[in-house]
Every structure is written in structure tokens, then in C-alpha cells.
Amino acid sequence: VNRDHAVVVGGSLAGLLAARVLADHFDRVTIVERDRFPADAAFRPGIPQSRHLHVLWTRGLEIMEDLFPGLERTLLDAGATEIGVPADVLWLTAAGWRNRFEVTRLLTFSRPLLDCAVRTRLKADGVLGSGSLDVLEDNEVVGLVPRGADVAGVSLRSGERLAADLVVDATGRGSRTPAWLATLGYPAPPETLVDPLLGYASRYYAIPPGFDPGWKALYLQADPPATRRTGGLFPQEGGRWICSLSGAGRDYGPTDEDAFLEFAKGLRDPVLYEAIRDAEPLSPITGFRRTANHRRHYERLSVWPRGFVVMGDAACAFNPIYGQGMSVAALSALALDRCLRETHRDFERRFQRRVAHSGAGAWLVATGEDRRYRETEAAPTRLSTHVINAYVDRVVAAANVDRRVCASLLDVLALSSAPASLFSPAVLARVTANSARSAARPPSARETGGPPRGRPARL
Ligand SMILES: Cc1cc2nc3c(=O)[nH]c(=O)nc-3n(C[C@H](O)[C@H](O)[C@H](O)COP(=O)(O)OP(=O)(O)OC[C@H]3O[C@@H](n4cnc5c(N)ncnc54)[C@H](O)[C@@H]3O)c2cc1C
């Protein structure tokens, strides 16, 4: 395979991480992005979801730090907050309050800050392996350039063509790859859709001066199918909170001022409502409803063009409430590096298989949870999913009171371990030992530093 020029279509997180990896393998890398990149950590239309809470789990941050050493420091210097999880979080799970053990740490920051930090590092001298980077902003890929049955580049809205040895589609949920492949004579990929009909509404607030209630973040989860609303309040750079409210089963987070507060009041505990009620809003309320779990199974196609791959949300998008998309994009960037280092032929199809593998754990978690909502649109739920969910209920309850189970569960959510690890004998034994305990007894305020004594675990 010639390795002169690689083109990445889409300059959001999957595209930026892919470009970083490709620069170690190709002489030249070009990112084509429909938007113009802002100079700083500002919103841009191509990533509308960046106005909503984005949690970057541990594994995702580790991979990004490996790709861009010093990235964490950059984020902290720009005002990101380090929080202990669940130590600094009031976390209401479906099974009640989670004890505030010190298990892991997260950085919280706005999504535009992360993209800006990665873009800046990508363009900085010396970061890019041997390759050089070009960025074509304010342009758009409108199709693939064929060479026989393979891909030899992309055609642009401006009418030009860019020749490439490899084209990476990182255009997100709106990816046109099925249509582009059809023009080359390839079949459409099989697709899986699991749609919990969930909608976000988010707003920024100023953190009131001197505010110190003993927590840094709030995460109040739904308890499906009985309740469908989730709320998160997380610190961001600039002394702000982002408040994201979401509801499944068409109980969408509302963008109307009064309805937003009413929705917050309707969460399973009033603590979030009480925090934002008198806080100063710093932004309008923004909604977002394109949240279905959507997988395009490119790995299952028996024919595939050389010179073309798909990654990020374009291949597999998740209900964002579980905070997995960016970390799966990072895992796929690692997979891209590995596949390019191997000398085997058939690079493209091997990579698509690894992309599918990178997202498999996250897919199980997200769709398993979403199938708990009665309204979720999906193929009928298998008996095995019901059985697994019944066990996961017990894991969640045990994780609320047992630090080691909590650590195992967070490893799975953070994509550091596969979901199967929750079935290891060690976890099983602790889950069995702890389920009765957690069901009967929510942690007290003294243990949690959390909600006042007497507040019921499940409202
Ligand atoms: C409401 C919401 C909340 C989320 N919260 C989290 C979270 O907490 N944690 C987490 O890990 N993930 C979260 N995600 C998911 C996360 O946003 C994505 O997984 C992440 O942005 C990676 O997506 P991507 O780069 O594949 O695509 P996108 O981010 O969708 O970017 C696609 C890019 O391609 C460009 N583009 C599109 N078409 C073309 C074209 N034809 N030519 C050129 N450029 C093009 C667009 O302008 C855009 O820049 C959330 C998503 C949503 C919707």
C-alpha cells in the first residue's frame, strides 16, 4: 500500500484522533472539514452536541494523553476541574445513592475546550510523527473518487478532487458512506437501531460564589421503566456549571425556561433543582434529540473497497447519556494505529472489524440499559438481555455500597474492561454478598457527605 497521502473527512474528535495516528504512517494528512474551525474553545455548527454535557471516561483520556502527551495538563491549565468519582459526585443510581468512595478521577471541561486543545496540539510543531498536516476548512466532501472498485480520493463541494491512498470517513451520525459506496456498486451495510427516543436540554450557569455543599458534581439517573429522567450538573472551565437534563420515551428535556426548571424538579431528587433554581443562567437552553444507538455493520460486508475506512459515530453512534462516543473514537484511533503497523493485507476490512470490536462493550451497555424503557424502538428484546439486566441491577446495587464492585462497574463504564468482567467469580461473590445490604439501606449523610439524613433513596 502506498502511504503518501491520507484524507480524513470530518474534523471533530474521531477525525482529529485519526489524523494524529495517520501522521505516523503517511507523508501527508489532510483533514477536510465543513465548518471553519474557531480559533479558541468556541462552539461550531458541525458539532451541535457540544452544547451538552460531555464526560470523557478514563480510558478515552488515557489514549488521548498517549497521543498528545501533556493534554491533561493543557486542559487543567485551561480551567478543567478534576473530580473524584464517585467521591466528589452525588450520584443517584437506579438502586439508590452511591457511596462516595474514591475509585477513579475524571477531568470535566466543555466539549469545545477538548476539541480546541486537541486541534492546537495537532497543529503544533513536533507533535505529528513524520507527516505534515493540511486542513481544508469550510469545504465538504460530496463523494468518493473511484479507481476501479477501489477508492482513490474524494470529490469536494468546491469541485476539486483530492487524490488519496486512504480516505477515512469521520463525518459522524450524518455520514453519507452508504450512499457513496452505492455509487461504487457496493451493497448497503446491515444496520441496527435501538432508539430510546431520548432528548437533551442543556444550559450553562455561573457557579454561585462561595458555593461549597460538599460535592462538585451531580448525577441523578433515571430508574427505568418507572422513571425516565436523568440530570447532570458538572463544573466546566470559567466557573460554570453545565446542566444537562434528558428524558427517554419522548419525555424530552424541554427548552422552555419554566418547563426546564419543572423538569429538573421532577428528577428523582430535588438537589439539582435546588442548585440551579437561583443560579445565574449564562446561556439559552439548547435541545438535542438525535440520540439513537445506531450501528452500521461495515464489518459484515463481504466486499469492501481498498483505500477507504469508516470510524467514530459514522460507524457506530450511541445514546450519549452513557458518555461513550469520544472514548470509542479514541479506541478506534488506537485500532487504526495497530492495523497500520501490521503488515497483513486486507487492512481496511481488518480495521472495520476492530472498529466494531472497539464499540462492542459500549454498545452492550447502552442498548442493554435503553431496552429497559418501555417506549424504546428496537427489535424484540432477547430473554438473555432480560437475564443480564436483572444481574446488572444487582451489580449496580452492590456497587453503591461495595468499593470493589463499584471499581469493577466503573471500569466497564469507562471502557477499561469488557462487560463480561462483571461476571468474574470475584465480582459475582461480592454482588451476591452485598445485594441484600444495598437494597435495604441507603448510605447516610455522614457516610456520603451527600443528601440530608432521612431523604429516601428512591423517590
Ligand atoms: C447530546 C450529546 C452528548 C454527548 N455526550 C457525550 C459524552 O458525555 N461522552 C462521550 O464520550 N461522548 C458523548 N457524545 C458523543 C460524542 O459527541 C461523539 O461521539 C464525538 O463527537 C465523536 O464523534 P465523531 O467525531 O465521529 O463525529 P461528530 O462529532 O459528529 O463530527 C463530525 C464532523 O464531520 C464534519 N462533517 C460532516 N460531514 C462532512 C462532510 N461531508 N465533509 C466535511 N466535513 C463533514 C462535521 O462538521 C463535524 O465536524 C455525545 C453526543 C451527543 C449527541
Side-chain angles (χ1 to χ4, degrees):
V1 182
N2 225 345
R3 293 204 177 163
D4 291 337
H5 187 209
V7 168
V8 178
V9 191
S12 176
L13 212 63
L16 295 172
L17 299 179
R20 169 66 193 89
V21 163
L22 292 169
D24 285 339
H25 299 275
F26 287 78
D27 295 340
R28 283 186 307 130
V29 179
T30 304
I31 297 176
V32 184
E33 168 54 50
R34 190 152 52 194
D35 282 352
R36 199 168 278 288
F37 287 126
D40 51 14
F43 296 105
R44 62 181 180 86
I47 321 184
Q49 72 268 32
S50 62
R51 293 184 188 276
H52 303 272
L53 172 62
H54 270 67
V55 170
L56 179 58
W57 282 106
T58 333
R59 186 72 188 114
L61 183 61
E62 276 169 11
I63 296 172
M64 291 183 207
E65 178 69 22
D66 280 350
L67 292 174
F68 300 102
L71 182 71
E72 273 191 58
R73 189 67 261 157
T74 307
L75 292 166
L76 285 166
D77 290 347
T81 307
E82 189 170 20
I83 59 171
V85 178
D88 293 325
V89 187
L90 278 196
W91 185 345
L92 183 58
T93 71
W97 294 101
R98 177 147 293 157
N99 258 348
R100 292 169 65 186
F101 320 103
E102 180 74 54
V103 173
T104 185
R105 306 194 71 74
L106 287 182
L107 294 189
T108 82
F109 40 74
S110 73
R111 174 64 199 268
L113 179 67
L114 177 64
D115 284 51
C116 178
V118 169
R119 275 197 315 267
T120 309
R121 292 298 308 273
L122 194 54
K123 289 183 193 165
D125 288 341
V127 169
L128 284 179
S130 52
S132 66
L133 176 74
D134 286 321
V135 181
L136 272 184
E137 298 169 66
D138 200 9
N139 212 323
E140 189 178 342
V141 167
V142 292
L144 301 174
V145 175
R147 184 194 297 123
D150 295 332
V151 171
V154 293
S155 35
L156 303 175
R157 187 185 56 205
S158 54
E160 294 157 77
R161 289 175 158 204
L162 273 184
D165 304 300
L166 178 65
V167 174
V168 178
D169 174 12
T171 57
R173 281 178 184 267
S175 165
R176 304 266 304 133
T177 283
W180 291 347
L181 284 181
T183 63
L184 269 66
Y186 288 93
E191 303 194 9
T192 311
L193 201 68
V194 178
D195 190 352
L197 305 166
L198 177 136
Y200 271 63
S202 300
R203 184 173 223 186
Y204 277 94
Y205 291 90
I207 301 178
F211 187 84
D212 186 15
W215 50 261
K216 289 186 184 168
L218 298 177
Y219 187 38
L220 310 181
Q221 292 183 278
D223 176 18
T227 67
R228 299 175 295 182
R229 296 182 177 184
T230 291
L233 189 72
F234 278 68
Q236 312 262 274
E237 70 280 2
R240 299 172 299 165
W241 277 323
I242 186 165
C243 174
S244 281
L245 306 178
S246 63
R250 293 199 179 85
D251 184 18
Y252 303 121
T255 53
D256 167 81
E257 187 107 5
D258 293 336
F260 187 81
L261 282 177
E262 270 308 304
F263 191 99
K265 216 186 223 175
L267 293 167
R268 291 170 53 228
D269 189 273
V271 62
L272 189 150
Y273 166 73
E274 286 161 7
I276 61 170
R277 183 180 44 193
D278 300 318
E280 180 198 350
L282 297 177
S283 73
I285 303 166
T286 317
F288 197 95
R289 293 187 182 178
R290 207 173 172 196
T291 57
N293 303 283
H294 185 192
R295 201 169 180 184
R296 296 184 174 106
H297 297 277
Y298 292 117
E299 75 284 0
R300 291 196 196 155
L301 289 178
S302 57
V303 281
W304 187 260
R306 270 181 298 178
F308 182 67
V309 292
V310 187
M311 64 182 278
D313 285 14
C316 185
F318 307 90
N319 171 1
I321 204 165
Y322 312 104
Q324 300 164 315
M326 299 190 295
S327 295
V328 171
L331 284 169
S332 299
L334 265 194
L336 183 63
D337 186 51
R338 289 203 185 124
C339 287
L340 285 166
R341 280 181 202 286
E342 291 164 3
T343 50
H344 309 264
R345 297 177 56 219
D346 208 15
F347 151 78
E348 294 83 355
R349 294 182 59 189
R350 272 185 304 115
F351 176 64
Q352 290 313 146
R353 284 197 290 274
R354 294 227 182 137
V355 165
H357 182 72
S358 302
W363 180 266
L364 260 184
V365 169
T367 58
E369 286 302 305
D370 285 349
R371 283 175 181 279
R372 295 175 187 267
Y373 296 102
R374 278 187 211 99
E375 302 83 353
T376 294
E377 292 180 350
T381 304
R382 292 198 191 124
L383 179 63
S384 57
T385 305
H386 291 298
V387 172
I388 291 170
N389 276 352
Y391 176 66
V392 170
D393 286 343
R394 297 180 66 185
V395 173
V396 169
N400 284 351
V401 292
D402 183 312
R403 192 189 163 284
R404 279 163 64 183
V405 178
C406 186
S408 301
L409 179 61
L410 289 186
D411 275 349
V412 170
L413 296 178
L415 307 182
S416 300
S417 303
S421 63
L422 295 177
F423 294 85
S424 72
V427 177
L428 261 167
R430 299 189 81 89
V431 167
T432 311
N434 278 300
S435 15
R437 198 178 142 213
S438 55
R441 175 180 160 278
S444 71
R446 188 173 44 75
E447 287 169 292
T448 64
R453 264 172 200 282
R455 176 173 288 171
R458 299 171 80 142
L459 300 179

